[in-house]
Amino acid sequence: MNVVKQAKAIYIVASAVFLILGVALLIGKPTALVLRILLGCAFLLVGASKIFGFFSNDLYKLAFQFDLAMGILSVLVGIVLLVRGSLQPQTVSGIAGLYVMAESMFKIQTALDAKKFGMRKWVSILVAAIVVGAVGVLILLNPFERLNVRSILILMGIAFVLNASQNIWTTAYTVRVKAKKKHVEEKYEDYL
């Protein structure tokens, strides 16, 4: 199987894990220990998939262009969450908010690069990145100061669902592989 196709599939699966985690946060109230373990493992998985994706030979280099840095950051966040037993839910949500905000900033750049490539749906990527970034800022700044732990978990769940959905859609739309055609100039086709 082509490395780009593998990277695309792995990245979509890793993003789906964050999507499921976000839904779980919206539905239930995990203990602090369970939350740290789930988030730590999810960040490790996403980080590994981002690093793998960065080293794939994606044709446009859009979806994976910033993934070495974000992959390393994800792995480090995952390690911190798994090792540090004293993190409070507010600290964990701050880390999550900062991560989501950083991801959205990189997606804004991806949208602008997609525009340069002539991709028609670059505006959708841009709008989604701005919305996800706004939720990340909301979590990070916690302007309400009176939010209880359950409300913070709901905000984190919303952020993870939006961010994961955006990652899945952006990856599915922007990751391209070279098609091998006999006696024809190289053409490009979408894996989906």
Side-chain angles (χ1 to χ4, degrees):
M1 184 181 218
N2 184 302
V3 175
V4 177
K5 290 179 184 180
Q6 288 176 344
K8 184 176 185 177
I10 291 168
Y11 192 72
I12 288 173
V13 168
S15 295
V17 168
F18 252 105
L19 180 75
I20 293 166
L21 180 58
V23 170
L25 290 175
L26 290 171
I27 295 171
K29 183 183 177 192
T31 65
L33 175 63
V34 170
L35 178 63
R36 279 190 317 96
I37 291 171
L38 289 175
L39 280 175
C41 291
F43 273 110
L44 285 174
L45 177 64
V46 167
S49 72
K50 285 179 175 290
I51 292 168
F52 182 72
F54 178 80
F55 289 108
S56 71
N57 192 18
D58 176 24
L59 178 63
Y60 292 154
K61 303 276 188 220
L62 287 176
F64 302 133
Q65 67 180 327
F66 303 111
D67 279 2
L68 180 60
M70 285 304 293
I72 292 169
L73 176 64
S74 297
V75 168
L76 292 175
V77 167
I79 291 169
V80 167
L81 289 170
L82 291 172
V83 173
R84 294 287 311 256
S86 61
L87 293 176
Q88 297 299 317
Q90 291 82 355
T91 304
V92 174
S93 70
I95 292 170
L98 186 61
Y99 179 82
V100 169
M101 193 175 66
E103 276 242 324
S104 70
M105 287 189 292
F106 287 128
K107 289 293 186 289
I108 289 170
Q109 181 65 49
T110 299
L112 297 176
D113 289 343
K115 179 183 178 186
K116 289 178 188 173
F117 280 104
M119 294 182 165
R120 293 179 305 242
K121 296 183 182 177
W122 71 271
V123 175
S124 302
I125 298 170
L126 180 65
V127 170
I130 291 169
V131 170
V132 170
V135 174
V137 168
L138 187 64
I139 293 171
L140 186 62
L141 297 179
N142 190 7
F144 309 113
E145 291 297 325
R146 293 192 177 113
L147 287 180
N148 60 20
V149 173
R150 181 69 193 128
S151 299
I152 292 170
L153 291 176
I154 289 172
L155 274 177
M156 284 175 53
I158 291 168
F160 289 158
V161 167
L162 291 174
N163 188 49
S165 299
Q166 177 193 21
N167 284 341
I168 291 167
W169 187 82
T170 302
T171 302
Y173 180 67
T174 62
V175 175
R176 307 287 177 147
V177 295
K178 291 181 182 179
K180 296 183 180 184
K181 305 281 183 186
K182 199 171 187 179
H183 305 293
V184 179
E185 285 183 276
E186 284 186 333
K187 294 185 180 181
Y188 305 112
E189 66 185 8
D190 194 0
Y191 173 63
L192 293 177

